[in-house]
Amino acid sequence: MPRSDTAPANPGLLPLLGRTPLARIHTDLPHSHPGFWAKLECLGAGGMKARAAMSMLTGARRRGELRPGAPVVESTSGTMGIGLAFAGQALGHPVILVGDSELEPSMRQLLRTHGARLELVDRPAPQGGWQAARIARLREVLARTEGAYWPDQYNNPDNPAGYRSMAAELIGQLDHLDVLVCSVGTGGHSAGLVGPLLRRWPRLKVIGVDSVGSAIFGQPARQRLMRGLGSSIHPRNVRHGAFDEVHWVGPAEAVDACRRLARGSFVSGGWSTGAVALVSAWAARAEPGAIVATVFPDGPHRYLGTVYDDDFCHAHGLTATSPATRPLEIPHPRSAEALGWTRCRTVVDPVTVPGPSAHVPAPGGAV
């Protein structure tokens, strides 16, 4: 990349990182519940993943892997791209992002507005889907870009380390915590939060929230409508042993929760926000008296053409059925394929615990 593409560092951005508020959510999701706490990461500059982006880039600079002014190249479905754009400006690094043709036009425009350069792949890989296709293109970009650094958000331990600040904020904001509900994609924020929060509250219960069609917890990888939640690969940052149970949520259920939040709490977000809100409300109902908290990773603006667009939702059949009021339960991740909101209290790492994969479609549940 020509040196003219570099920009001076802007350390004045650093005080804007994190320090996000908690909101008490009482909106029916879809039924009434005692309420839960939501960490509003949309109100921090660069969103939730700016924390991880800053951690990964500063760690690489400290180790000499990222030279001053050198370009940063990463694969993203959008949210990490915003975080890296923030970190790139703060630290003085041009950012090249490898996305795909499913990336929303508004997100493409936003990333470019923040100075990132986009490379888009136009078809998923036969094995590994869009993520594998993006990573293949990423390797091509690395090969032709002198001095470029790849943070590798899925496997970089500096990703979870970036969320220690969020854990410290939660400890300062809450007197007690019984249940933590975490969306799982790269595995970064759940892995970063669990250690400090368990040291503070040793009896803390941790619930992972994944997307239907995601391979992270042993389900078969399928094409997914939801972005930013789940994975068709197995990120090493996911700490499977930290979760007491896992819930898979479908796009129709996430859309319903997002729209209810927007109407009833003013605070809302995208696919991950809807999924964790649904499960958090369920946890607050299932364990009366428990203090439940979750993280809303971003706001609604990116999703105006999907989650909040009636034509999009109608075209994808997301409003044709009544929302599920409780999860279907399966005894093991490999015993049935989750087609809608499904709960499993057996959590395994599919990489280290191989086994047969029956995956009979689970009866019931919204598709």
Side-chain angles (χ1 to χ4, degrees), residues 258-284:
C258 283
R259 291 181 169 216
R260 288 174 183 270
L261 284 171
R263 292 192 302 267
S265 299
F266 196 81
V267 171
S268 192
W271 304 108
S272 297
T273 293
V276 296
L278 176 69
V279 175
S280 296
W282 169 86

mmCIF file with all atom_site columns, all heavy atoms in Angstrom, residues 258-284:
data_model
loop_
_atom_site.group_PDB
_atom_site.id
_atom_site.type_symbol
_atom_site.label_atom_id
_atom_site.label_alt_id
_atom_site.label_comp_id
_atom_site.label_asym_id
_atom_site.label_entity_id
_atom_site.label_seq_id
_atom_site.pdbx_PDB_ins_code
_atom_site.Cartn_x
_atom_site.Cartn_y
_atom_site.Cartn_z
_atom_site.occupancy
_atom_site.B_iso_or_equiv
_atom_site.pdbx_formal_charge
_atom_site.auth_seq_id
_atom_site.auth_comp_id
_atom_site.auth_asym_id
_atom_site.auth_atom_id
_atom_site.pdbx_PDB_model_num
ATOM 1   N N   . CYS A 1 258 ? -35.962 -7.826  18.457 1.00 0.00 ? 258 CYS A N   1
ATOM 2   C CA  . CYS A 1 258 ? -35.422 -6.506  18.115 1.00 0.00 ? 258 CYS A CA  1
ATOM 3   C C   . CYS A 1 258 ? -36.533 -5.477  17.985 1.00 0.00 ? 258 CYS A C   1
ATOM 4   O O   . CYS A 1 258 ? -36.428 -4.350  18.492 1.00 0.00 ? 258 CYS A O   1
ATOM 5   C CB  . CYS A 1 258 ? -34.648 -6.571  16.804 1.00 0.00 ? 258 CYS A CB  1
ATOM 6   S SG  . CYS A 1 258 ? -33.008 -7.301  16.913 1.00 0.00 ? 258 CYS A SG  1
ATOM 7   N N   . ARG A 1 259 ? -37.585 -5.846  17.292 1.00 0.00 ? 259 ARG A N   1
ATOM 8   C CA  . ARG A 1 259 ? -38.675 -4.901  17.063 1.00 0.00 ? 259 ARG A CA  1
ATOM 9   C C   . ARG A 1 259 ? -39.441 -4.599  18.350 1.00 0.00 ? 259 ARG A C   1
ATOM 10  O O   . ARG A 1 259 ? -39.869 -3.458  18.569 1.00 0.00 ? 259 ARG A O   1
ATOM 11  C CB  . ARG A 1 259 ? -39.600 -5.446  15.984 1.00 0.00 ? 259 ARG A CB  1
ATOM 12  C CG  . ARG A 1 259 ? -38.941 -5.466  14.601 1.00 0.00 ? 259 ARG A CG  1
ATOM 13  C CD  . ARG A 1 259 ? -39.868 -5.977  13.524 1.00 0.00 ? 259 ARG A CD  1
ATOM 14  N NE  . ARG A 1 259 ? -39.314 -5.739  12.202 1.00 0.00 ? 259 ARG A NE  1
ATOM 15  C CZ  . ARG A 1 259 ? -40.030 -5.420  11.126 1.00 0.00 ? 259 ARG A CZ  1
ATOM 16  N NH1 . ARG A 1 259 ? -41.351 -5.300  11.236 1.00 0.00 ? 259 ARG A NH1 1
ATOM 17  N NH2 . ARG A 1 259 ? -39.455 -5.221  9.960  1.00 0.00 ? 259 ARG A NH2 1
ATOM 18  N N   . ARG A 1 260 ? -39.601 -5.598  19.201 1.00 0.00 ? 260 ARG A N   1
ATOM 19  C CA  . ARG A 1 260 ? -40.241 -5.344  20.495 1.00 0.00 ? 260 ARG A CA  1
ATOM 20  C C   . ARG A 1 260 ? -39.378 -4.397  21.339 1.00 0.00 ? 260 ARG A C   1
ATOM 21  O O   . ARG A 1 260 ? -39.899 -3.494  22.007 1.00 0.00 ? 260 ARG A O   1
ATOM 22  C CB  . ARG A 1 260 ? -40.470 -6.661  21.234 1.00 0.00 ? 260 ARG A CB  1
ATOM 23  C CG  . ARG A 1 260 ? -41.579 -7.515  20.648 1.00 0.00 ? 260 ARG A CG  1
ATOM 24  C CD  . ARG A 1 260 ? -41.674 -8.869  21.335 1.00 0.00 ? 260 ARG A CD  1
ATOM 25  N NE  . ARG A 1 260 ? -42.683 -9.714  20.726 1.00 0.00 ? 260 ARG A NE  1
ATOM 26  C CZ  . ARG A 1 260 ? -43.963 -9.755  21.082 1.00 0.00 ? 260 ARG A CZ  1
ATOM 27  N NH1 . ARG A 1 260 ? -44.377 -8.985  22.079 1.00 0.00 ? 260 ARG A NH1 1
ATOM 28  N NH2 . ARG A 1 260 ? -44.812 -10.556 20.468 1.00 0.00 ? 260 ARG A NH2 1
ATOM 29  N N   . LEU A 1 261 ? -38.066 -4.619  21.323 1.00 0.00 ? 261 LEU A N   1
ATOM 30  C CA  . LEU A 1 261 ? -37.168 -3.727  22.057 1.00 0.00 ? 261 LEU A CA  1
ATOM 31  C C   . LEU A 1 261 ? -37.279 -2.294  21.549 1.00 0.00 ? 261 LEU A C   1
ATOM 32  O O   . LEU A 1 261 ? -37.335 -1.339  22.334 1.00 0.00 ? 261 LEU A O   1
ATOM 33  C CB  . LEU A 1 261 ? -35.723 -4.203  21.917 1.00 0.00 ? 261 LEU A CB  1
ATOM 34  C CG  . LEU A 1 261 ? -35.279 -5.409  22.727 1.00 0.00 ? 261 LEU A CG  1
ATOM 35  C CD1 . LEU A 1 261 ? -33.897 -5.852  22.272 1.00 0.00 ? 261 LEU A CD1 1
ATOM 36  C CD2 . LEU A 1 261 ? -35.269 -5.093  24.222 1.00 0.00 ? 261 LEU A CD2 1
ATOM 37  N N   . ALA A 1 262 ? -37.276 -2.125  20.234 1.00 0.00 ? 262 ALA A N   1
ATOM 38  C CA  . ALA A 1 262 ? -37.326 -0.787  19.658 1.00 0.00 ? 262 ALA A CA  1
ATOM 39  C C   . ALA A 1 262 ? -38.609 -0.061  20.051 1.00 0.00 ? 262 ALA A C   1
ATOM 40  O O   . ALA A 1 262 ? -38.588 1.138   20.344 1.00 0.00 ? 262 ALA A O   1
ATOM 41  C CB  . ALA A 1 262 ? -37.207 -0.877  18.134 1.00 0.00 ? 262 ALA A CB  1
ATOM 42  N N   . ARG A 1 263 ? -39.730 -0.780  20.065 1.00 0.00 ? 263 ARG A N   1
ATOM 43  C CA  . ARG A 1 263 ? -41.011 -0.156  20.420 1.00 0.00 ? 263 ARG A CA  1
ATOM 44  C C   . ARG A 1 263 ? -41.158 0.062   21.914 1.00 0.00 ? 263 ARG A C   1
ATOM 45  O O   . ARG A 1 263 ? -41.781 1.033   22.345 1.00 0.00 ? 263 ARG A O   1
ATOM 46  C CB  . ARG A 1 263 ? -42.175 -1.020  19.925 1.00 0.00 ? 263 ARG A CB  1
ATOM 47  C CG  . ARG A 1 263 ? -42.327 -1.097  18.410 1.00 0.00 ? 263 ARG A CG  1
ATOM 48  C CD  . ARG A 1 263 ? -43.669 -1.720  18.034 1.00 0.00 ? 263 ARG A CD  1
ATOM 49  N NE  . ARG A 1 263 ? -43.823 -3.059  18.601 1.00 0.00 ? 263 ARG A NE  1
ATOM 50  C CZ  . ARG A 1 263 ? -43.492 -4.179  17.957 1.00 0.00 ? 263 ARG A CZ  1
ATOM 51  N NH1 . ARG A 1 263 ? -42.972 -4.103  16.740 1.00 0.00 ? 263 ARG A NH1 1
ATOM 52  N NH2 . ARG A 1 263 ? -43.669 -5.352  18.515 1.00 0.00 ? 263 ARG A NH2 1
ATOM 53  N N   . GLY A 1 264 ? -40.603 -0.856  22.708 1.00 0.00 ? 264 GLY A N   1
ATOM 54  C CA  . GLY A 1 264 ? -40.878 -0.820  24.138 1.00 0.00 ? 264 GLY A CA  1
ATOM 55  C C   . GLY A 1 264 ? -39.782 -0.256  25.014 1.00 0.00 ? 264 GLY A C   1
ATOM 56  O O   . GLY A 1 264 ? -40.044 0.162   26.143 1.00 0.00 ? 264 GLY A O   1
ATOM 57  N N   . SER A 1 265 ? -38.525 -0.246  24.513 1.00 0.00 ? 265 SER A N   1
ATOM 58  C CA  . SER A 1 265 ? -37.406 0.220   25.334 1.00 0.00 ? 265 SER A CA  1
ATOM 59  C C   . SER A 1 265 ? -36.611 1.332   24.679 1.00 0.00 ? 265 SER A C   1
ATOM 60  O O   . SER A 1 265 ? -35.694 1.866   25.296 1.00 0.00 ? 265 SER A O   1
ATOM 61  C CB  . SER A 1 265 ? -36.451 -0.947  25.635 1.00 0.00 ? 265 SER A CB  1
ATOM 62  O OG  . SER A 1 265 ? -37.096 -1.968  26.341 1.00 0.00 ? 265 SER A OG  1
ATOM 63  N N   . PHE A 1 266 ? -36.924 1.642   23.426 1.00 0.00 ? 266 PHE A N   1
ATOM 64  C CA  . PHE A 1 266 ? -36.185 2.569   22.579 1.00 0.00 ? 266 PHE A CA  1
ATOM 65  C C   . PHE A 1 266 ? -34.791 2.037   22.243 1.00 0.00 ? 266 PHE A C   1
ATOM 66  O O   . PHE A 1 266 ? -34.253 2.288   21.193 1.00 0.00 ? 266 PHE A O   1
ATOM 67  C CB  . PHE A 1 266 ? -36.077 3.967   23.212 1.00 0.00 ? 266 PHE A CB  1
ATOM 68  C CG  . PHE A 1 266 ? -35.676 5.017   22.216 1.00 0.00 ? 266 PHE A CG  1
ATOM 69  C CD1 . PHE A 1 266 ? -36.622 5.562   21.372 1.00 0.00 ? 266 PHE A CD1 1
ATOM 70  C CD2 . PHE A 1 266 ? -34.366 5.448   22.097 1.00 0.00 ? 266 PHE A CD2 1
ATOM 71  C CE1 . PHE A 1 266 ? -36.278 6.509   20.420 1.00 0.00 ? 266 PHE A CE1 1
ATOM 72  C CE2 . PHE A 1 266 ? -34.009 6.387   21.154 1.00 0.00 ? 266 PHE A CE2 1
ATOM 73  C CZ  . PHE A 1 266 ? -34.965 6.928   20.313 1.00 0.00 ? 266 PHE A CZ  1
ATOM 74  N N   . VAL A 1 267 ? -34.214 1.259   23.152 1.00 0.00 ? 267 VAL A N   1
ATOM 75  C CA  . VAL A 1 267 ? -32.901 0.650   22.944 1.00 0.00 ? 267 VAL A CA  1
ATOM 76  C C   . VAL A 1 267 ? -33.086 -0.643  22.166 1.00 0.00 ? 267 VAL A C   1
ATOM 77  O O   . VAL A 1 267 ? -33.886 -1.498  22.546 1.00 0.00 ? 267 VAL A O   1
ATOM 78  C CB  . VAL A 1 267 ? -32.237 0.346   24.297 1.00 0.00 ? 267 VAL A CB  1
ATOM 79  C CG1 . VAL A 1 267 ? -30.977 -0.472  24.105 1.00 0.00 ? 267 VAL A CG1 1
ATOM 80  C CG2 . VAL A 1 267 ? -31.943 1.637   25.040 1.00 0.00 ? 267 VAL A CG2 1
ATOM 81  N N   . SER A 1 268 ? -32.355 -0.805  21.068 1.00 0.00 ? 268 SER A N   1
ATOM 82  C CA  . SER A 1 268 ? -32.420 -2.052  20.316 1.00 0.00 ? 268 SER A CA  1
ATOM 83  C C   . SER A 1 268 ? -31.112 -2.229  19.555 1.00 0.00 ? 268 SER A C   1
ATOM 84  O O   . SER A 1 268 ? -30.118 -1.564  19.841 1.00 0.00 ? 268 SER A O   1
ATOM 85  C CB  . SER A 1 268 ? -33.630 -2.043  19.364 1.00 0.00 ? 268 SER A CB  1
ATOM 86  O OG  . SER A 1 268 ? -33.855 -3.339  18.839 1.00 0.00 ? 268 SER A OG  1
ATOM 87  N N   . GLY A 1 269 ? -31.101 -3.143  18.583 1.00 0.00 ? 269 GLY A N   1
ATOM 88  C CA  . GLY A 1 269 ? -29.874 -3.417  17.849 1.00 0.00 ? 269 GLY A CA  1
ATOM 89  C C   . GLY A 1 269 ? -30.153 -4.390  16.724 1.00 0.00 ? 269 GLY A C   1
ATOM 90  O O   . GLY A 1 269 ? -31.257 -4.406  16.160 1.00 0.00 ? 269 GLY A O   1
ATOM 91  N N   . GLY A 1 270 ? -29.154 -5.232  16.407 1.00 0.00 ? 270 GLY A N   1
ATOM 92  C CA  . GLY A 1 270 ? -29.271 -6.164  15.302 1.00 0.00 ? 270 GLY A CA  1
ATOM 93  C C   . GLY A 1 270 ? -29.524 -7.585  15.752 1.00 0.00 ? 270 GLY A C   1
ATOM 94  O O   . GLY A 1 270 ? -30.032 -7.844  16.847 1.00 0.00 ? 270 GLY A O   1
ATOM 95  N N   . TRP A 1 271 ? -29.135 -8.532  14.893 1.00 0.00 ? 271 TRP A N   1
ATOM 96  C CA  . TRP A 1 271 ? -29.431 -9.941  15.123 1.00 0.00 ? 271 TRP A CA  1
ATOM 97  C C   . TRP A 1 271 ? -28.978 -10.419 16.500 1.00 0.00 ? 271 TRP A C   1
ATOM 98  O O   . TRP A 1 271 ? -29.731 -11.071 17.228 1.00 0.00 ? 271 TRP A O   1
ATOM 99  C CB  . TRP A 1 271 ? -28.756 -10.783 14.049 1.00 0.00 ? 271 TRP A CB  1
ATOM 100 C CG  . TRP A 1 271 ? -29.093 -10.433 12.646 1.00 0.00 ? 271 TRP A CG  1
ATOM 101 C CD1 . TRP A 1 271 ? -28.276 -9.819  11.739 1.00 0.00 ? 271 TRP A CD1 1
ATOM 102 C CD2 . TRP A 1 271 ? -30.329 -10.689 11.949 1.00 0.00 ? 271 TRP A CD2 1
ATOM 103 N NE1 . TRP A 1 271 ? -28.925 -9.667  10.526 1.00 0.00 ? 271 TRP A NE1 1
ATOM 104 C CE2 . TRP A 1 271 ? -30.183 -10.209 10.624 1.00 0.00 ? 271 TRP A CE2 1
ATOM 105 C CE3 . TRP A 1 271 ? -31.531 -11.295 12.315 1.00 0.00 ? 271 TRP A CE3 1
ATOM 106 C CZ2 . TRP A 1 271 ? -31.191 -10.303 9.667  1.00 0.00 ? 271 TRP A CZ2 1
ATOM 107 C CZ3 . TRP A 1 271 ? -32.538 -11.393 11.360 1.00 0.00 ? 271 TRP A CZ3 1
ATOM 108 C CH2 . TRP A 1 271 ? -32.372 -10.909 10.070 1.00 0.00 ? 271 TRP A CH2 1
ATOM 109 N N   . SER A 1 272 ? -27.720 -10.097 16.857 1.00 0.00 ? 272 SER A N   1
ATOM 110 C CA  . SER A 1 272 ? -27.180 -10.568 18.142 1.00 0.00 ? 272 SER A CA  1
ATOM 111 C C   . SER A 1 272 ? -27.946 -9.968  19.309 1.00 0.00 ? 272 SER A C   1
ATOM 112 O O   . SER A 1 272 ? -28.215 -10.649 20.308 1.00 0.00 ? 272 SER A O   1
ATOM 113 C CB  . SER A 1 272 ? -25.696 -10.212 18.253 1.00 0.00 ? 272 SER A CB  1
ATOM 114 O OG  . SER A 1 272 ? -24.939 -10.856 17.258 1.00 0.00 ? 272 SER A OG  1
ATOM 115 N N   . THR A 1 273 ? -28.298 -8.691  19.189 1.00 0.00 ? 273 THR A N   1
ATOM 116 C CA  . THR A 1 273 ? -29.047 -8.032  20.259 1.00 0.00 ? 273 THR A CA  1
ATOM 117 C C   . THR A 1 273 ? -30.399 -8.703  20.470 1.00 0.00 ? 273 THR A C   1
ATOM 118 O O   . THR A 1 273 ? -30.806 -8.989  21.608 1.00 0.00 ? 273 THR A O   1
ATOM 119 C CB  . THR A 1 273 ? -29.232 -6.544  19.933 1.00 0.00 ? 273 THR A CB  1
ATOM 120 O OG1 . THR A 1 273 ? -27.956 -5.899  19.958 1.00 0.00 ? 273 THR A OG1 1
ATOM 121 C CG2 . THR A 1 273 ? -30.156 -5.872  20.933 1.00 0.00 ? 273 THR A CG2 1
ATOM 122 N N   . GLY A 1 274 ? -31.116 -8.978  19.378 1.00 0.00 ? 274 GLY A N   1
ATOM 123 C CA  . GLY A 1 274 ? -32.399 -9.650  19.516 1.00 0.00 ? 274 GLY A CA  1
ATOM 124 C C   . GLY A 1 274 ? -32.271 -11.026 20.138 1.00 0.00 ? 274 GLY A C   1
ATOM 125 O O   . GLY A 1 274 ? -33.071 -11.419 20.996 1.00 0.00 ? 274 GLY A O   1
ATOM 126 N N   . ALA A 1 275 ? -31.239 -11.765 19.722 1.00 0.00 ? 275 ALA A N   1
ATOM 127 C CA  . ALA A 1 275 ? -31.060 -13.129 20.230 1.00 0.00 ? 275 ALA A CA  1
ATOM 128 C C   . ALA A 1 275 ? -30.756 -13.132 21.728 1.00 0.00 ? 275 ALA A C   1
ATOM 129 O O   . ALA A 1 275 ? -31.346 -13.904 22.491 1.00 0.00 ? 275 ALA A O   1
ATOM 130 C CB  . ALA A 1 275 ? -29.948 -13.822 19.456 1.00 0.00 ? 275 ALA A CB  1
ATOM 131 N N   . VAL A 1 276 ? -29.826 -12.278 22.169 1.00 0.00 ? 276 VAL A N   1
ATOM 132 C CA  . VAL A 1 276 ? -29.484 -12.286 23.600 1.00 0.00 ? 276 VAL A CA  1
ATOM 133 C C   . VAL A 1 276 ? -30.604 -11.701 24.440 1.00 0.00 ? 276 VAL A C   1
ATOM 134 O O   . VAL A 1 276 ? -30.802 -12.101 25.592 1.00 0.00 ? 276 VAL A O   1
ATOM 135 C CB  . VAL A 1 276 ? -28.147 -11.558 23.886 1.00 0.00 ? 276 VAL A CB  1
ATOM 136 C CG1 . VAL A 1 276 ? -26.987 -12.282 23.221 1.00 0.00 ? 276 VAL A CG1 1
ATOM 137 C CG2 . VAL A 1 276 ? -28.185 -10.096 23.482 1.00 0.00 ? 276 VAL A CG2 1
ATOM 138 N N   . ALA A 1 277 ? -31.352 -10.748 23.891 1.00 0.00 ? 277 ALA A N   1
ATOM 139 C CA  . ALA A 1 277 ? -32.481 -10.191 24.643 1.00 0.00 ? 277 ALA A CA  1
ATOM 140 C C   . ALA A 1 277 ? -33.540 -11.258 24.884 1.00 0.00 ? 277 ALA A C   1
ATOM 141 O O   . ALA A 1 277 ? -34.086 -11.382 25.996 1.00 0.00 ? 277 ALA A O   1
ATOM 142 C CB  . ALA A 1 277 ? -33.075 -9.003  23.897 1.00 0.00 ? 277 ALA A CB  1
ATOM 143 N N   . LEU A 1 278 ? -33.842 -12.044 23.851 1.00 0.00 ? 278 LEU A N   1
ATOM 144 C CA  . LEU A 1 278 ? -34.825 -13.116 23.996 1.00 0.00 ? 278 LEU A CA  1
ATOM 145 C C   . LEU A 1 278 ? -34.409 -14.096 25.088 1.00 0.00 ? 278 LEU A C   1
ATOM 146 O O   . LEU A 1 278 ? -35.208 -14.450 25.966 1.00 0.00 ? 278 LEU A O   1
ATOM 147 C CB  . LEU A 1 278 ? -34.962 -13.848 22.657 1.00 0.00 ? 278 LEU A CB  1
ATOM 148 C CG  . LEU A 1 278 ? -35.866 -15.072 22.627 1.00 0.00 ? 278 LEU A CG  1
ATOM 149 C CD1 . LEU A 1 278 ? -37.322 -14.673 22.807 1.00 0.00 ? 278 LEU A CD1 1
ATOM 150 C CD2 . LEU A 1 278 ? -35.679 -15.848 21.320 1.00 0.00 ? 278 LEU A CD2 1
ATOM 151 N N   . VAL A 1 279 ? -33.156 -14.522 25.069 1.00 0.00 ? 279 VAL A N   1
ATOM 152 C CA  . VAL A 1 279 ? -32.680 -15.516 26.034 1.00 0.00 ? 279 VAL A CA  1
ATOM 153 C C   . VAL A 1 279 ? -32.562 -14.900 27.425 1.00 0.00 ? 279 VAL A C   1
ATOM 154 O O   . VAL A 1 279 ? -32.849 -15.553 28.440 1.00 0.00 ? 279 VAL A O   1
ATOM 155 C CB  . VAL A 1 279 ? -31.344 -16.123 25.569 1.00 0.00 ? 279 VAL A CB  1
ATOM 156 C CG1 . VAL A 1 279 ? -30.781 -17.072 26.613 1.00 0.00 ? 279 VAL A CG1 1
ATOM 157 C CG2 . VAL A 1 279 ? -31.536 -16.853 24.234 1.00 0.00 ? 279 VAL A CG2 1
ATOM 158 N N   . SER A 1 280 ? -32.172 -13.643 27.514 1.00 0.00 ? 280 SER A N   1
ATOM 159 C CA  . SER A 1 280 ? -32.064 -12.983 28.826 1.00 0.00 ? 280 SER A CA  1
ATOM 160 C C   . SER A 1 280 ? -33.426 -12.850 29.489 1.00 0.00 ? 280 SER A C   1
ATOM 161 O O   . SER A 1 280 ? -33.566 -13.067 30.706 1.00 0.00 ? 280 SER A O   1
ATOM 162 C CB  . SER A 1 280 ? -31.421 -11.600 28.666 1.00 0.00 ? 280 SER A CB  1
ATOM 163 O OG  . SER A 1 280 ? -30.101 -11.707 28.198 1.00 0.00 ? 280 SER A OG  1
ATOM 164 N N   . ALA A 1 281 ? -34.451 -12.481 28.701 1.00 0.00 ? 281 ALA A N   1
ATOM 165 C CA  . ALA A 1 281 ? -35.806 -12.386 29.259 1.00 0.00 ? 281 ALA A CA  1
ATOM 166 C C   . ALA A 1 281 ? -36.278 -13.749 29.740 1.00 0.00 ? 281 ALA A C   1
ATOM 167 O O   . ALA A 1 281 ? -36.902 -13.873 30.810 1.00 0.00 ? 281 ALA A O   1
ATOM 168 C CB  . ALA A 1 281 ? -36.754 -11.820 28.207 1.00 0.00 ? 281 ALA A CB  1
ATOM 169 N N   . TRP A 1 282 ? -35.977 -14.791 28.957 1.00 0.00 ? 282 TRP A N   1
ATOM 170 C CA  . TRP A 1 282 ? -36.338 -16.154 29.366 1.00 0.00 ? 282 TRP A CA  1
ATOM 171 C C   . TRP A 1 282 ? -35.626 -16.528 30.673 1.00 0.00 ? 282 TRP A C   1
ATOM 172 O O   . TRP A 1 282 ? -36.240 -17.101 31.587 1.00 0.00 ? 282 TRP A O   1
ATOM 173 C CB  . TRP A 1 282 ? -35.960 -17.131 28.260 1.00 0.00 ? 282 TRP A CB  1
ATOM 174 C CG  . TRP A 1 282 ? -36.037 -18.571 28.684 1.00 0.00 ? 282 TRP A CG  1
ATOM 175 C CD1 . TRP A 1 282 ? -37.129 -19.380 28.661 1.00 0.00 ? 282 TRP A CD1 1
ATOM 176 C CD2 . TRP A 1 282 ? -34.968 -19.354 29.222 1.00 0.00 ? 282 TRP A CD2 1
ATOM 177 N NE1 . TRP A 1 282 ? -36.811 -20.629 29.157 1.00 0.00 ? 282 TRP A NE1 1
ATOM 178 C CE2 . TRP A 1 282 ? -35.488 -20.634 29.508 1.00 0.00 ? 282 TRP A CE2 1
ATOM 179 C CE3 . TRP A 1 282 ? -33.625 -19.087 29.482 1.00 0.00 ? 282 TRP A CE3 1
ATOM 180 C CZ2 . TRP A 1 282 ? -34.705 -21.652 30.045 1.00 0.00 ? 282 TRP A CZ2 1
ATOM 181 C CZ3 . TRP A 1 282 ? -32.844 -20.102 30.014 1.00 0.00 ? 282 TRP A CZ3 1
ATOM 182 C CH2 . TRP A 1 282 ? -33.381 -21.363 30.296 1.00 0.00 ? 282 TRP A CH2 1
ATOM 183 N N   . ALA A 1 283 ? -34.323 -16.208 30.770 1.00 0.00 ? 283 ALA A N   1
ATOM 184 C CA  . ALA A 1 283 ? -33.565 -16.538 31.981 1.00 0.00 ? 283 ALA A CA  1
ATOM 185 C C   . ALA A 1 283 ? -34.124 -15.806 33.192 1.00 0.00 ? 283 ALA A C   1
ATOM 186 O O   . ALA A 1 283 ? -34.195 -16.373 34.297 1.00 0.00 ? 283 ALA A O   1
ATOM 187 C CB  . ALA A 1 283 ? -32.087 -16.197 31.780 1.00 0.00 ? 283 ALA A CB  1
ATOM 188 N N   . ALA A 1 284 ? -34.537 -14.549 33.010 1.00 0.00 ? 284 ALA A N   1
ATOM 189 C CA  . ALA A 1 284 ? -35.113 -13.793 34.127 1.00 0.00 ? 284 ALA A CA  1
ATOM 190 C C   . ALA A 1 284 ? -36.439 -14.406 34.575 1.00 0.00 ? 284 ALA A C   1
ATOM 191 O O   . ALA A 1 284 ? -36.753 -14.402 35.775 1.00 0.00 ? 284 ALA A O   1
ATOM 192 C CB  . ALA A 1 284 ? -35.312 -12.329 33.717 1.00 0.00 ? 284 ALA A CB  1
#
